[in-house]
Amino acid sequence: MRVNVVSDVHGNAKDLATAGDGADALICLGDLVLFLDYADHTRGIFPDLFGVRNADLIVELRTARRFDEARDLARRLWAELGADRERAIEAAVRTQYAEMFAAFPTPTYATYGNVDIPALWPEYARPGTTVLDGERTEIGGLVFGFVGGGLQSPMRTPYEIPDEEYAAKVEALGEVDVLCSHIPPDVPELTYDTVPRRFERGSRALLEAIHRTRPRYALFGHVHQPLAPRMRIGATECVNVGHFAATGKPWTLTW
């Protein structure tokens, strides 16, 4: 049995279309939407709306952890644009989702990332794509549990939820063979991103579940350039499956 796993697709529909090649199934751990490419500031919803110069500036502010100034800049830009913010973002996200979901092979098992908008997914998930969040499914005799979204942070991305709500989803899974999430467990080596030089938010509930239930694997993404792309915690192999938007290559699990 072979399953290919991707995360942080961020608009890379071209490579997503072949991500399931040679596999019995594809797993996607979220972040289909591209709001802003930190490596190429010409790509994404933000530069499409406000231009590359403003994209350069907001990346500079966020990288310097000047989040209040970044939010002030965004508010000013929206006011100058004179458009309904929610409607403009939703229209752009819908365009990306139509392309992303059309690229999914059958079968695909997917959960949300922190920049996704879960309410829109039912409109685009076609037969053959199973969306799971706080739920489990069997693939090839192994039990896979899925937890979507991220935890609340200064970035204030669309699908960030309180720690208690996230922990409840983790608890609902019970014992699984493969624990799949968008964000990593709360381990410094797994949450530190070496390029912006900051810790992303990891989940203490995921870490506790790994210690308690000892799944074979814990798979996740979210941290694009992790200090440690994989490490073992007890009996569990923890793997950051990679920044698919940049690499175009899935991580493969075989058994």
Side-chain angles (χ1 to χ4, degrees):
M1 189 76 181
R2 169 175 171 158
V3 171
N4 286 356
V5 189
V6 301
S7 185
D8 300 271
V9 178
H10 293 303
N12 189 350
K14 177 178 178 294
D15 289 319
L16 186 61
T18 59
D21 287 0
D24 298 290
L26 177 72
I27 288 176
C28 178
L29 301 182
D31 272 10
L32 300 181
V33 174
L34 178 62
F35 280 99
L36 176 58
D37 189 331
Y38 277 60
D40 180 356
H41 303 169
T42 68
R43 300 180 63 243
I45 294 171
F46 190 93
D48 287 348
L49 290 172
F50 303 117
V52 177
R53 180 177 297 180
N54 286 316
D56 291 340
L57 180 55
I58 204 161
V59 168
E60 178 183 341
L61 291 172
R62 288 178 174 175
T63 301
R65 301 178 180 83
R66 295 157 62 185
F67 296 113
D68 289 339
E69 292 176 67
R71 283 191 286 271
D72 288 342
L73 171 63
R75 280 192 288 267
R76 178 172 59 80
L77 292 173
W78 279 107
E80 292 174 355
L81 187 66
D84 182 277
R85 176 173 180 163
E86 298 301 323
R87 186 171 298 178
I89 290 177
E90 181 176 315
V93 169
R94 285 182 177 277
T95 298
Q96 292 189 13
Y97 275 167
E99 188 176 16
M100 296 296 106
F101 279 92
F104 279 146
T106 298
T108 292
Y109 301 87
T111 196
Y112 317 113
N114 61 293
V115 302
D116 286 312
I117 302 178
L120 298 182
W121 280 39
E123 298 182 40
Y124 297 94
R126 304 177 303 170
T129 296
T130 302
V131 180
L132 301 126
D133 185 19
E135 301 165 282
R136 20 188 297 155
T137 191
E138 185 177 317
I139 306 173
L142 297 184
V143 177
F144 287 70
F146 292 79
V147 184
L151 296 173
Q152 292 170 329
S153 77
M155 300 295 283
R156 298 184 182 177
T157 50
Y159 190 42
E160 294 181 352
I161 62 177
D163 289 52
E164 297 78 10
E165 184 179 339
Y166 193 93
K169 293 195 295 184
V170 176
E171 180 68 23
L173 298 180
E175 293 188 9
V176 298
D177 297 301
V178 184
L179 178 58
C180 299
S181 58
H182 177 67
I183 63 173
D186 189 17
V187 177
E189 294 88 343
L190 299 176
T191 60
Y192 187 74
D193 194 316
T194 61
V195 173
R197 300 188 300 280
R198 67 168 181 254
F199 290 97
E200 300 290 348
R201 286 217 61 194
S203 167
R204 173 62 55 176
L206 286 172
L207 181 59
E208 291 173 352
I210 289 169
H211 284 300
R212 184 176 67 254
T213 66
R214 297 164 60 87
R216 298 187 193 182
Y217 290 91
L219 309 179
F220 49 87
H222 186 57
V223 182
H224 293 176
Q225 298 87 198
L227 181 63
R230 65 190 298 163
M231 68 184 297
R232 182 166 286 276
I233 299 176
T236 304
E237 188 71 17
C238 300
V239 183
N240 185 319
V241 301
H243 181 200
F244 186 77
T247 68
K249 296 179 180 178
W251 183 83
T252 298
L253 175 63
T254 60
W255 68 96

